[in-house]
Amino acid sequence: MQYGMGAPTIVDDRVLVRIAALRDLARTNGEAFFVNFRQAAHGGSKVAIWLHPAVALRIVYERVEPVPISGAELSGLAETARVAGDVSV
């Protein structure tokens, strides 16, 4: 994943699919919020990114097959982002 002009960050595909879905919601609703996740490649360090409709987000998946995400989970993430202004995936 590469956010804006920053250096690429290695993130598990299961997390990436959730970030991508939240990014689509941010773009659709014109909202911005933080997404927090743990980065296994760097000893589990916590990463927080500001998802904003105007900032480029490049996502490259390692797997070819789709990673599932349920509608209920996506709705819950979207509601948390809307109410709290941030969400953890």
Side-chain angles (χ1 to χ4, degrees), residues 18-60:
R18 284 150 181 83
I19 291 172
L22 288 168
R23 172 63 171 95
D24 285 344
L25 289 171
R27 186 178 58 226
T28 300
N29 299 330
E31 299 172 339
F33 48 86
F34 277 103
V35 175
N36 306 296
F37 59 94
R38 297 276 178 195
Q39 192 173 18
H42 293 279
S45 61
K46 181 180 175 184
V47 177
I49 60 171
W50 179 246
L51 280 187
H52 189 281
V55 178
L57 179 64
R58 178 176 179 253
I59 294 177
V60 178

